[in-house]
Amino acid sequence: MAHPERSSLPKHVAIIMDGNGRWAQSHGMTRTAGHRKGMEVVREIVRAASDFGVGYLTLFAFSSENWRRPETEVRDLLGLLKLFIRRDLSELHRDNVRIRVIGERNNLRSDLLPLLIEAEETTRNNTGLTLVIAFNYGSRDEMARAMVSIARDVADGRLRCEDITPGLIDSRLDTAGIPDPDLIIRTSGEERLSNFLLWQAAYSELMFVNDLWPDFNRAMFCAALEKFAMRERRFGGLSAAQAAVGS
Ligand code: FPP
């Protein structure tokens, strides 16, 4: 089985798993069946990321805007997430995977929040892949919550305005302590970020693949990592070749 070169692996890969609905429709199935197939792919990609030695894998499981979907679809998506944690937690723990959940937690259903907390607590000290599940997540909402927490500290005299730096803002986001994504993959041919990790994506490489999420697999993930290794990242500076010409 193909294995990407370890030395040039992205440390953090984030994925917008798009296309479950279109996949279901093209197979004459319900949208829920598409999400269920999508969950199988989640298992495959988590295993692959862990095997390949990726440090962090963030999956956009449910956005703060997804509540606008029909009630039955929302119920089924929440049910799938619960099922994933209930069924897979022990195996993920055994595989040394650490789970983090990002997104707004206030007002989450009482049957879901304890499960998310349990997943984080159980796996807190694991040292393998960190699986970041973005649930009830929206980047603007995350940034607004961070700004409120900073504004409170300024108003109460715990912080001065001059203390507000990119680093301080980082530390108030849900992703505090998690490195910025090196690579963001979106499936299904759509080419946008849809309110996902907007602050953290400042220097991320973006990769848009045409396959629908339920058709995505380990080999395609490996190919994306190999393609990433070929890209040159300059973070606003110059490449070695450009620097040599200029000097
Ligand atoms: C986008 O497809 C996908 C989602 C909104 C949900 C993603 C959820 C899963 C893959 C399953 C559960 C996840 C975990 C982490 C257990 P879409 O419905 O917007 O597809 P469409 O654009 O074709 O309609």
Side-chain angles (χ1 to χ4, degrees), residues 17-23 31 34-39 42 59-63 66 69 73 77 80-82 84-85 133 188 190 212-213:
M17 311 178 288
D18 198 9
N20 295 347
R22 276 162 285 167
W23 182 90
R31 292 182 61 82
H35 294 315
R36 213 172 295 134
K37 179 70 173 60
M39 188 165 90
V42 165
L59 299 177
F60 204 0
F62 193 90
S63 80
N66 283 154
R69 294 192 175 200
E73 185 173 347
L77 274 170
L80 275 180
L81 180 68
K82 279 190 341 196
F84 175 71
I85 292 181
I133 301 174
S188 91
E190 309 285 353
L212 303 173
W213 178 251

PDB file of all heavy atoms in Angstrom, residues 17-23 31 34-39 42 59-63 66 69 73 77 80-82 84-85 133 188 190 212-213, ligand 1:
ATOM      1  N   MET A  17     -15.547  17.733   4.212  1.00  0.00           N
ATOM      2  CA  MET A  17     -16.029  16.459   3.635  1.00  0.00           C
ATOM      3  C   MET A  17     -17.346  16.729   2.904  1.00  0.00           C
ATOM      4  O   MET A  17     -18.415  16.536   3.451  1.00  0.00           O
ATOM      5  CB  MET A  17     -16.240  15.445   4.762  1.00  0.00           C
ATOM      6  CG  MET A  17     -15.062  15.329   5.717  1.00  0.00           C
ATOM      7  SD  MET A  17     -15.374  14.174   7.074  1.00  0.00           S
ATOM      8  CE  MET A  17     -16.537  15.061   8.090  1.00  0.00           C
ATOM      9  N   ASP A  18     -17.250  17.154   1.673  1.00  0.00           N
ATOM     10  CA  ASP A  18     -18.454  17.609   0.970  1.00  0.00           C
ATOM     11  C   ASP A  18     -18.903  16.586  -0.074  1.00  0.00           C
ATOM     12  O   ASP A  18     -18.067  15.914  -0.686  1.00  0.00           O
ATOM     13  CB  ASP A  18     -18.133  18.956   0.296  1.00  0.00           C
ATOM     14  CG  ASP A  18     -19.391  19.718  -0.078  1.00  0.00           C
ATOM     15  OD1 ASP A  18     -20.496  19.299   0.335  1.00  0.00           O
ATOM     16  OD2 ASP A  18     -19.267  20.727  -0.790  1.00  0.00           O
ATOM     17  N   GLY A  19     -20.195  16.514  -0.284  1.00  0.00           N
ATOM     18  CA  GLY A  19     -20.723  15.726  -1.396  1.00  0.00           C
ATOM     19  C   GLY A  19     -21.527  14.497  -1.011  1.00  0.00           C
ATOM     20  O   GLY A  19     -21.918  13.714  -1.884  1.00  0.00           O
ATOM     21  N   ASN A  20     -21.807  14.319   0.278  1.00  0.00           N
ATOM     22  CA  ASN A  20     -22.588  13.143   0.696  1.00  0.00           C
ATOM     23  C   ASN A  20     -23.969  13.113   0.046  1.00  0.00           C
ATOM     24  O   ASN A  20     -24.441  12.063  -0.391  1.00  0.00           O
ATOM     25  CB  ASN A  20     -22.778  13.135   2.217  1.00  0.00           C
ATOM     26  CG  ASN A  20     -21.482  12.961   2.970  1.00  0.00           C
ATOM     27  OD1 ASN A  20     -20.471  12.616   2.375  1.00  0.00           O
ATOM     28  ND2 ASN A  20     -21.512  13.198   4.271  1.00  0.00           N
ATOM     29  N   GLY A  21     -24.596  14.314  -0.007  1.00  0.00           N
ATOM     30  CA  GLY A  21     -25.951  14.387  -0.546  1.00  0.00           C
ATOM     31  C   GLY A  21     -25.980  14.051  -2.033  1.00  0.00           C
ATOM     32  O   GLY A  21     -26.815  13.266  -2.503  1.00  0.00           O
ATOM     33  N   ARG A  22     -25.023  14.639  -2.780  1.00  0.00           N
ATOM     34  CA  ARG A  22     -24.975  14.370  -4.230  1.00  0.00           C
ATOM     35  C   ARG A  22     -24.642  12.910  -4.509  1.00  0.00           C
ATOM     36  O   ARG A  22     -25.177  12.302  -5.423  1.00  0.00           O
ATOM     37  CB  ARG A  22     -23.934  15.289  -4.896  1.00  0.00           C
ATOM     38  CG  ARG A  22     -24.493  16.655  -5.238  1.00  0.00           C
ATOM     39  CD  ARG A  22     -23.412  17.657  -5.479  1.00  0.00           C
ATOM     40  NE  ARG A  22     -22.791  18.080  -4.229  1.00  0.00           N
ATOM     41  CZ  ARG A  22     -21.656  18.770  -4.153  1.00  0.00           C
ATOM     42  NH1 ARG A  22     -20.998  19.072  -5.248  1.00  0.00           N
ATOM     43  NH2 ARG A  22     -21.184  19.143  -2.992  1.00  0.00           N
ATOM     44  N   TRP A  23     -23.783  12.340  -3.687  1.00  0.00           N
ATOM     45  CA  TRP A  23     -23.434  10.919  -3.857  1.00  0.00           C
ATOM     46  C   TRP A  23     -24.691  10.065  -3.667  1.00  0.00           C
ATOM     47  O   TRP A  23     -24.965   9.163  -4.468  1.00  0.00           O
ATOM     48  CB  TRP A  23     -22.358  10.520  -2.836  1.00  0.00           C
ATOM     49  CG  TRP A  23     -21.897   9.108  -2.970  1.00  0.00           C
ATOM     50  CD1 TRP A  23     -20.870   8.658  -3.746  1.00  0.00           C
ATOM     51  CD2 TRP A  23     -22.449   7.953  -2.315  1.00  0.00           C
ATOM     52  NE1 TRP A  23     -20.747   7.294  -3.614  1.00  0.00           N
ATOM     53  CE2 TRP A  23     -21.700   6.843  -2.747  1.00  0.00           C
ATOM     54  CE3 TRP A  23     -23.499   7.762  -1.411  1.00  0.00           C
ATOM     55  CZ2 TRP A  23     -21.961   5.542  -2.309  1.00  0.00           C
ATOM     56  CZ3 TRP A  23     -23.768   6.475  -0.973  1.00  0.00           C
ATOM     57  CH2 TRP A  23     -23.003   5.380  -1.422  1.00  0.00           C
ATOM     58  N   ARG A  31     -30.350  10.993   1.646  1.00  0.00           N
ATOM     59  CA  ARG A  31     -29.184  11.782   2.065  1.00  0.00           C
ATOM     60  C   ARG A  31     -28.512  11.135   3.271  1.00  0.00           C
ATOM     61  O   ARG A  31     -27.288  11.132   3.392  1.00  0.00           O
ATOM     62  CB  ARG A  31     -29.614  13.224   2.396  1.00  0.00           C
ATOM     63  CG  ARG A  31     -30.064  14.006   1.164  1.00  0.00           C
ATOM     64  CD  ARG A  31     -30.438  15.435   1.548  1.00  0.00           C
ATOM     65  NE  ARG A  31     -29.302  16.147   2.114  1.00  0.00           N
ATOM     66  CZ  ARG A  31     -28.351  16.737   1.387  1.00  0.00           C
ATOM     67  NH1 ARG A  31     -28.414  16.707   0.073  1.00  0.00           N
ATOM     68  NH2 ARG A  31     -27.360  17.357   1.970  1.00  0.00           N
ATOM     69  N   GLY A  34     -26.117   8.637   2.376  1.00  0.00           N
ATOM     70  CA  GLY A  34     -24.880   9.277   1.922  1.00  0.00           C
ATOM     71  C   GLY A  34     -23.987   9.641   3.104  1.00  0.00           C
ATOM     72  O   GLY A  34     -22.771   9.426   3.082  1.00  0.00           O
ATOM     73  N   HIS A  35     -24.589  10.184   4.160  1.00  0.00           N
ATOM     74  CA  HIS A  35     -23.805  10.545   5.352  1.00  0.00           C
ATOM     75  C   HIS A  35     -23.227   9.282   6.008  1.00  0.00           C
ATOM     76  O   HIS A  35     -22.117   9.287   6.513  1.00  0.00           O
ATOM     77  CB  HIS A  35     -24.667  11.316   6.354  1.00  0.00           C
ATOM     78  CG  HIS A  35     -25.122  12.658   5.853  1.00  0.00           C
ATOM     79  ND1 HIS A  35     -24.269  13.520   5.211  1.00  0.00           N
ATOM     80  CD2 HIS A  35     -26.329  13.286   5.890  1.00  0.00           C
ATOM     81  CE1 HIS A  35     -24.946  14.636   4.872  1.00  0.00           C
ATOM     82  NE2 HIS A  35     -26.190  14.495   5.270  1.00  0.00           N
ATOM     83  N   ARG A  36     -24.028   8.205   5.971  1.00  0.00           N
ATOM     84  CA  ARG A  36     -23.551   6.945   6.589  1.00  0.00           C
ATOM     85  C   ARG A  36     -22.324   6.426   5.833  1.00  0.00           C
ATOM     86  O   ARG A  36     -21.344   5.999   6.433  1.00  0.00           O
ATOM     87  CB  ARG A  36     -24.680   5.910   6.568  1.00  0.00           C
ATOM     88  CG  ARG A  36     -24.620   5.002   7.787  1.00  0.00           C
ATOM     89  CD  ARG A  36     -25.828   4.094   7.884  1.00  0.00           C
ATOM     90  NE  ARG A  36     -27.071   4.808   8.091  1.00  0.00           N
ATOM     91  CZ  ARG A  36     -28.208   4.579   7.427  1.00  0.00           C
ATOM     92  NH1 ARG A  36     -28.262   3.679   6.479  1.00  0.00           N
ATOM     93  NH2 ARG A  36     -29.290   5.266   7.706  1.00  0.00           N
ATOM     94  N   LYS A  37     -22.399   6.487   4.510  1.00  0.00           N
ATOM     95  CA  LYS A  37     -21.241   6.067   3.713  1.00  0.00           C
ATOM     96  C   LYS A  37     -20.063   7.016   4.005  1.00  0.00           C
ATOM     97  O   LYS A  37     -18.907   6.589   4.099  1.00  0.00           O
ATOM     98  CB  LYS A  37     -21.610   6.094   2.219  1.00  0.00           C
ATOM     99  CG  LYS A  37     -20.490   5.695   1.289  1.00  0.00           C
ATOM    100  CD  LYS A  37     -20.179   4.212   1.394  1.00  0.00           C
ATOM    101  CE  LYS A  37     -19.187   3.687   0.369  1.00  0.00           C
ATOM    102  NZ  LYS A  37     -17.881   4.273   0.361  1.00  0.00           N
ATOM    103  N   GLY A  38     -20.396   8.305   4.179  1.00  0.00           N
ATOM    104  CA  GLY A  38     -19.370   9.293   4.516  1.00  0.00           C
ATOM    105  C   GLY A  38     -18.667   8.943   5.825  1.00  0.00           C
ATOM    106  O   GLY A  38     -17.461   9.139   5.964  1.00  0.00           O
ATOM    107  N   MET A  39     -19.414   8.403   6.755  1.00  0.00           N
ATOM    108  CA  MET A  39     -18.807   8.046   8.045  1.00  0.00           C
ATOM    109  C   MET A  39     -17.819   6.885   7.882  1.00  0.00           C
ATOM    110  O   MET A  39     -16.781   6.847   8.540  1.00  0.00           O
ATOM    111  CB  MET A  39     -19.886   7.687   9.061  1.00  0.00           C
ATOM    112  CG  MET A  39     -19.308   7.496  10.445  1.00  0.00           C
ATOM    113  SD  MET A  39     -20.547   7.506  11.709  1.00  0.00           S
ATOM    114  CE  MET A  39     -20.932   5.782  11.767  1.00  0.00           C
ATOM    115  N   VAL A  42     -14.757   8.399   6.807  1.00  0.00           N
ATOM    116  CA  VAL A  42     -14.085   9.037   7.954  1.00  0.00           C
ATOM    117  C   VAL A  42     -13.186   8.008   8.640  1.00  0.00           C
ATOM    118  O   VAL A  42     -12.006   8.254   8.901  1.00  0.00           O
ATOM    119  CB  VAL A  42     -15.127   9.601   8.968  1.00  0.00           C
ATOM    120  CG1 VAL A  42     -14.466   9.921  10.312  1.00  0.00           C
ATOM    121  CG2 VAL A  42     -15.795  10.850   8.397  1.00  0.00           C
ATOM    122  N   LEU A  59     -11.626  17.384  10.917  1.00  0.00           N
ATOM    123  CA  LEU A  59     -12.733  17.042  10.024  1.00  0.00           C
ATOM    124  C   LEU A  59     -13.929  17.938  10.322  1.00  0.00           C
ATOM    125  O   LEU A  59     -14.352  18.068  11.477  1.00  0.00           O
ATOM    126  CB  LEU A  59     -13.134  15.570  10.245  1.00  0.00           C
ATOM    127  CG  LEU A  59     -12.045  14.533   9.954  1.00  0.00           C
ATOM    128  CD1 LEU A  59     -12.567  13.130  10.280  1.00  0.00           C
ATOM    129  CD2 LEU A  59     -11.597  14.604   8.488  1.00  0.00           C
ATOM    130  N   PHE A  60     -14.468  18.550   9.262  1.00  0.00           N
ATOM    131  CA  PHE A  60     -15.633  19.438   9.419  1.00  0.00           C
ATOM    132  C   PHE A  60     -16.882  18.548   9.414  1.00  0.00           C
ATOM    133  O   PHE A  60     -17.395  18.185   8.364  1.00  0.00           O
ATOM    134  CB  PHE A  60     -15.660  20.415   8.245  1.00  0.00           C
ATOM    135  CG  PHE A  60     -16.395  21.695   8.515  1.00  0.00           C
ATOM    136  CD1 PHE A  60     -16.999  21.944   9.739  1.00  0.00           C
ATOM    137  CD2 PHE A  60     -16.471  22.682   7.535  1.00  0.00           C
ATOM    138  CE1 PHE A  60     -17.666  23.149   9.988  1.00  0.00           C
ATOM    139  CE2 PHE A  60     -17.129  23.879   7.764  1.00  0.00           C
ATOM    140  CZ  PHE A  60     -17.729  24.113   8.991  1.00  0.00           C
ATOM    141  N   ALA A  61     -17.342  18.188  10.604  1.00  0.00           N
ATOM    142  CA  ALA A  61     -18.430  17.213  10.714  1.00  0.00           C
ATOM    143  C   ALA A  61     -19.808  17.870  10.687  1.00  0.00           C
ATOM    144  O   ALA A  61     -20.765  17.292  10.170  1.00  0.00           O
ATOM    145  CB  ALA A  61     -18.277  16.410  12.003  1.00  0.00           C
ATOM    146  N   PHE A  62     -19.907  19.080  11.266  1.00  0.00           N
ATOM    147  CA  PHE A  62     -21.216  19.733  11.342  1.00  0.00           C
ATOM    148  C   PHE A  62     -20.982  21.224  11.568  1.00  0.00           C
ATOM    149  O   PHE A  62     -20.345  21.615  12.541  1.00  0.00           O
ATOM    150  CB  PHE A  62     -22.023  19.136  12.501  1.00  0.00           C
ATOM    151  CG  PHE A  62     -23.481  19.505  12.492  1.00  0.00           C
ATOM    152  CD1 PHE A  62     -24.409  18.723  11.821  1.00  0.00           C
ATOM    153  CD2 PHE A  62     -23.934  20.644  13.151  1.00  0.00           C
ATOM    154  CE1 PHE A  62     -25.761  19.071  11.809  1.00  0.00           C
ATOM    155  CE2 PHE A  62     -25.276  20.995  13.141  1.00  0.00           C
ATOM    156  CZ  PHE A  62     -26.192  20.196  12.476  1.00  0.00           C
ATOM    157  N   SER A  63     -21.488  22.039  10.669  1.00  0.00           N
ATOM    158  CA  SER A  63     -21.216  23.471  10.786  1.00  0.00           C
ATOM    159  C   SER A  63     -22.321  24.157  11.586  1.00  0.00           C
ATOM    160  O   SER A  63     -23.434  23.623  11.725  1.00  0.00           O
ATOM    161  CB  SER A  63     -21.108  24.106   9.399  1.00  0.00           C
ATOM    162  OG  SER A  63     -22.393  24.337   8.872  1.00  0.00           O
ATOM    163  N   ASN A  66     -25.362  24.240   9.638  1.00  0.00           N
ATOM    164  CA  ASN A  66     -26.058  23.002   9.244  1.00  0.00           C
ATOM    165  C   ASN A  66     -27.399  22.799   9.967  1.00  0.00           C
ATOM    166  O   ASN A  66     -28.227  21.996   9.541  1.00  0.00           O
ATOM    167  CB  ASN A  66     -25.175  21.764   9.479  1.00  0.00           C
ATOM    168  CG  ASN A  66     -24.104  21.577   8.414  1.00  0.00           C
ATOM    169  OD1 ASN A  66     -23.056  20.983   8.652  1.00  0.00           O
ATOM    170  ND2 ASN A  66     -24.355  22.086   7.212  1.00  0.00           N
ATOM    171  N   ARG A  69     -30.688  22.756   8.011  1.00  0.00           N
ATOM    172  CA  ARG A  69     -31.151  21.623   7.179  1.00  0.00           C
ATOM    173  C   ARG A  69     -32.427  21.032   7.766  1.00  0.00           C
ATOM    174  O   ARG A  69     -32.751  21.278   8.922  1.00  0.00           O
ATOM    175  CB  ARG A  69     -30.050  20.561   7.134  1.00  0.00           C
ATOM    176  CG  ARG A  69     -28.837  21.085   6.405  1.00  0.00           C
ATOM    177  CD  ARG A  69     -27.852  20.002   6.078  1.00  0.00           C
ATOM    178  NE  ARG A  69     -26.783  20.569   5.277  1.00  0.00           N
ATOM    179  CZ  ARG A  69     -25.970  19.883   4.503  1.00  0.00           C
ATOM    180  NH1 ARG A  69     -26.096  18.571   4.400  1.00  0.00           N
ATOM    181  NH2 ARG A  69     -25.029  20.470   3.810  1.00  0.00           N
ATOM    182  N   GLU A  73     -32.684  15.381   8.788  1.00  0.00           N
ATOM    183  CA  GLU A  73     -31.271  15.250   8.397  1.00  0.00           C
ATOM    184  C   GLU A  73     -30.362  15.659   9.553  1.00  0.00           C
ATOM    185  O   GLU A  73     -29.347  15.001   9.816  1.00  0.00           O
ATOM    186  CB  GLU A  73     -30.966  16.087   7.153  1.00  0.00           C
ATOM    187  CG  GLU A  73     -29.531  15.857   6.667  1.00  0.00           C
ATOM    188  CD  GLU A  73     -29.204  16.533   5.338  1.00  0.00           C
ATOM    189  OE1 GLU A  73     -30.122  16.991   4.640  1.00  0.00           O
ATOM    190  OE2 GLU A  73     -27.995  16.591   5.018  1.00  0.00           O
ATOM    191  N   LEU A  77     -27.615  13.299  11.308  1.00  0.00           N
ATOM    192  CA  LEU A  77     -26.187  13.666  11.381  1.00  0.00           C
ATOM    193  C   LEU A  77     -25.691  13.605  12.824  1.00  0.00           C
ATOM    194  O   LEU A  77     -24.603  13.094  13.100  1.00  0.00           O
ATOM    195  CB  LEU A  77     -25.974  15.071  10.807  1.00  0.00           C
ATOM    196  CG  LEU A  77     -25.765  15.159   9.302  1.00  0.00           C
ATOM    197  CD1 LEU A  77     -25.801  16.616   8.836  1.00  0.00           C
ATOM    198  CD2 LEU A  77     -24.438  14.518   8.883  1.00  0.00           C
ATOM    199  N   LEU A  80     -25.306  10.069  13.819  1.00  0.00           N
ATOM    200  CA  LEU A  80     -24.095   9.441  13.261  1.00  0.00           C
ATOM    201  C   LEU A  80     -22.854   9.799  14.071  1.00  0.00           C
ATOM    202  O   LEU A  80     -21.992   8.953  14.313  1.00  0.00           O
ATOM    203  CB  LEU A  80     -23.889   9.887  11.813  1.00  0.00           C
ATOM    204  CG  LEU A  80     -24.630   9.098  10.748  1.00  0.00           C
ATOM    205  CD1 LEU A  80     -24.310   9.665   9.376  1.00  0.00           C
ATOM    206  CD2 LEU A  80     -24.248   7.621  10.790  1.00  0.00           C
ATOM    207  N   LEU A  81     -22.789  11.058  14.488  1.00  0.00           N
ATOM    208  CA  LEU A  81     -21.628  11.474  15.287  1.00  0.00           C
ATOM    209  C   LEU A  81     -21.613  10.706  16.611  1.00  0.00           C
ATOM    210  O   LEU A  81     -20.568  10.219  17.059  1.00  0.00           O
ATOM    211  CB  LEU A  81     -21.677  12.990  15.544  1.00  0.00           C
ATOM    212  CG  LEU A  81     -20.509  13.510  16.367  1.00  0.00           C
ATOM    213  CD1 LEU A  81     -19.194  13.410  15.583  1.00  0.00           C
ATOM    214  CD2 LEU A  81     -20.723  14.965  16.793  1.00  0.00           C
ATOM    215  N   LYS A  82     -22.809  10.585  17.215  1.00  0.00           N
ATOM    216  CA  LYS A  82     -22.893   9.830  18.479  1.00  0.00           C
ATOM    217  C   LYS A  82     -22.456   8.386  18.264  1.00  0.00           C
ATOM    218  O   LYS A  82     -21.709   7.808  19.054  1.00  0.00           O
ATOM    219  CB  LYS A  82     -24.334   9.869  19.016  1.00  0.00           C
ATOM    220  CG  LYS A  82     -24.606  11.148  19.724  1.00  0.00           C
ATOM    221  CD  LYS A  82     -25.887  11.263  20.514  1.00  0.00           C
ATOM    222  CE  LYS A  82     -26.993  10.331  20.222  1.00  0.00           C
ATOM    223  NZ  LYS A  82     -28.290  10.772  20.782  1.00  0.00           N
ATOM    224  N   PHE A  84     -20.522   7.227  15.949  1.00  0.00           N
ATOM    225  CA  PHE A  84     -19.078   7.180  15.678  1.00  0.00           C
ATOM    226  C   PHE A  84     -18.308   7.169  17.001  1.00  0.00           C
ATOM    227  O   PHE A  84     -17.403   6.350  17.201  1.00  0.00           O
ATOM    228  CB  PHE A  84     -18.681   8.400  14.842  1.00  0.00           C
ATOM    229  CG  PHE A  84     -17.199   8.527  14.601  1.00  0.00           C
ATOM    230  CD1 PHE A  84     -16.544   7.650  13.752  1.00  0.00           C
ATOM    231  CD2 PHE A  84     -16.462   9.534  15.216  1.00  0.00           C
ATOM    232  CE1 PHE A  84     -15.176   7.768  13.515  1.00  0.00           C
ATOM    233  CE2 PHE A  84     -15.091   9.668  14.979  1.00  0.00           C
ATOM    234  CZ  PHE A  84     -14.450   8.773  14.135  1.00  0.00           C
ATOM    235  N   ILE A  85     -18.692   8.057  17.923  1.00  0.00           N
ATOM    236  CA  ILE A  85     -17.951   8.127  19.189  1.00  0.00           C
ATOM    237  C   ILE A  85     -18.211   6.869  20.022  1.00  0.00           C
ATOM    238  O   ILE A  85     -17.279   6.244  20.532  1.00  0.00           O
ATOM    239  CB  ILE A  85     -18.305   9.423  19.950  1.00  0.00           C
ATOM    240  CG1 ILE A  85     -17.741  10.598  19.151  1.00  0.00           C
ATOM    241  CG2 ILE A  85     -17.731   9.394  21.367  1.00  0.00           C
ATOM    242  CD1 ILE A  85     -17.962  11.949  19.731  1.00  0.00           C
ATOM    243  N   ILE A 133     -12.420  17.145  15.779  1.00  0.00           N
ATOM    244  CA  ILE A 133     -13.753  17.089  15.175  1.00  0.00           C
ATOM    245  C   ILE A 133     -14.384  18.471  15.290  1.00  0.00           C
ATOM    246  O   ILE A 133     -14.575  18.989  16.393  1.00  0.00           O
ATOM    247  CB  ILE A 133     -14.632  16.031  15.880  1.00  0.00           C
ATOM    248  CG1 ILE A 133     -13.974  14.649  15.785  1.00  0.00           C
ATOM    249  CG2 ILE A 133     -16.036  16.009  15.278  1.00  0.00           C
ATOM    250  CD1 ILE A 133     -14.692  13.567  16.563  1.00  0.00           C
ATOM    251  N   SER A 188     -15.613  17.157  -3.608  1.00  0.00           N
ATOM    252  CA  SER A 188     -16.856  17.399  -4.368  1.00  0.00           C
ATOM    253  C   SER A 188     -16.769  18.522  -5.389  1.00  0.00           C
ATOM    254  O   SER A 188     -17.781  18.887  -5.980  1.00  0.00           O
ATOM    255  CB  SER A 188     -18.064  17.645  -3.448  1.00  0.00           C
ATOM    256  OG  SER A 188     -18.232  19.021  -3.165  1.00  0.00           O
ATOM    257  N   GLU A 190     -16.360  21.703  -5.095  1.00  0.00           N
ATOM    258  CA  GLU A 190     -16.652  23.084  -4.653  1.00  0.00           C
ATOM    259  C   GLU A 190     -15.343  23.730  -4.229  1.00  0.00           C
ATOM    260  O   GLU A 190     -14.521  23.087  -3.568  1.00  0.00           O
ATOM    261  CB  GLU A 190     -17.614  23.086  -3.457  1.00  0.00           C
ATOM    262  CG  GLU A 190     -18.883  22.275  -3.627  1.00  0.00           C
ATOM    263  CD  GLU A 190     -19.908  22.958  -4.529  1.00  0.00           C
ATOM    264  OE1 GLU A 190     -19.671  24.128  -4.918  1.00  0.00           O
ATOM    265  OE2 GLU A 190     -20.904  22.309  -4.849  1.00  0.00           O
ATOM    266  N   LEU A 212     -16.581  13.022  -4.757  1.00  0.00           N
ATOM    267  CA  LEU A 212     -17.509  13.263  -3.655  1.00  0.00           C
ATOM    268  C   LEU A 212     -16.956  12.545  -2.419  1.00  0.00           C
ATOM    269  O   LEU A 212     -16.283  11.506  -2.544  1.00  0.00           O
ATOM    270  CB  LEU A 212     -18.898  12.721  -4.021  1.00  0.00           C
ATOM    271  CG  LEU A 212     -19.489  13.317  -5.319  1.00  0.00           C
ATOM    272  CD1 LEU A 212     -20.792  12.599  -5.693  1.00  0.00           C
ATOM    273  CD2 LEU A 212     -19.725  14.827  -5.167  1.00  0.00           C
ATOM    274  N   TRP A 213     -17.243  13.078  -1.222  1.00  0.00           N
ATOM    275  CA  TRP A 213     -16.639  12.505  -0.012  1.00  0.00           C
ATOM    276  C   TRP A 213     -16.846  10.979   0.106  1.00  0.00           C
ATOM    277  O   TRP A 213     -15.897  10.256   0.397  1.00  0.00           O
ATOM    278  CB  TRP A 213     -17.135  13.235   1.243  1.00  0.00           C
ATOM    279  CG  TRP A 213     -16.574  12.627   2.492  1.00  0.00           C
ATOM    280  CD1 TRP A 213     -17.252  11.895   3.419  1.00  0.00           C
ATOM    281  CD2 TRP A 213     -15.196  12.643   2.925  1.00  0.00           C
ATOM    282  NE1 TRP A 213     -16.392  11.463   4.407  1.00  0.00           N
ATOM    283  CE2 TRP A 213     -15.130  11.909   4.128  1.00  0.00           C
ATOM    284  CE3 TRP A 213     -14.014  13.207   2.404  1.00  0.00           C
ATOM    285  CZ2 TRP A 213     -13.943  11.734   4.836  1.00  0.00           C
ATOM    286  CZ3 TRP A 213     -12.829  13.020   3.104  1.00  0.00           C
ATOM    287  CH2 TRP A 213     -12.799  12.289   4.300  1.00  0.00           C
TER     288      TRP A 213
HETATM  289  C1  FPP B   1     -21.398  17.567   3.435  1.00  0.00           C
HETATM  290  O1  FPP B   1     -22.146  16.883   2.467  1.00  0.00           O
HETATM  291  C2  FPP B   1     -21.229  16.754   4.630  1.00  0.00           C
HETATM  292  C3  FPP B   1     -21.755  17.056   5.860  1.00  0.00           C
HETATM  293  C4  FPP B   1     -22.593  18.237   6.087  1.00  0.00           C
HETATM  294  C5  FPP B   1     -21.557  16.188   7.018  1.00  0.00           C
HETATM  295  C6  FPP B   1     -20.302  15.397   7.092  1.00  0.00           C
HETATM  296  C7  FPP B   1     -20.555  14.241   7.977  1.00  0.00           C
HETATM  297  C8  FPP B   1     -20.055  12.990   7.825  1.00  0.00           C
HETATM  298  C9  FPP B   1     -19.081  12.640   6.768  1.00  0.00           C
HETATM  299  C10 FPP B   1     -20.479  11.864   8.701  1.00  0.00           C
HETATM  300  C11 FPP B   1     -20.172  11.957  10.156  1.00  0.00           C
HETATM  301  C12 FPP B   1     -18.869  12.529  10.531  1.00  0.00           C
HETATM  302  C13 FPP B   1     -18.111  12.144  11.599  1.00  0.00           C
HETATM  303  C14 FPP B   1     -16.859  12.890  11.973  1.00  0.00           C
HETATM  304  C15 FPP B   1     -18.466  10.998  12.413  1.00  0.00           C
HETATM  305  P1  FPP B   1     -23.501  17.520   1.940  1.00  0.00           P
HETATM  306  O2  FPP B   1     -24.620  16.881   2.674  1.00  0.00           O
HETATM  307  O3  FPP B   1     -23.464  18.999   2.052  1.00  0.00           O
HETATM  308  O4  FPP B   1     -23.471  17.062   0.451  1.00  0.00           O
HETATM  309  P2  FPP B   1     -24.090  17.810  -0.811  1.00  0.00           P
HETATM  310  O5  FPP B   1     -23.372  19.123  -0.931  1.00  0.00           O
HETATM  311  O6  FPP B   1     -23.792  16.874  -1.926  1.00  0.00           O
HETATM  312  O7  FPP B   1     -25.566  17.949  -0.542  1.00  0.00           O
END
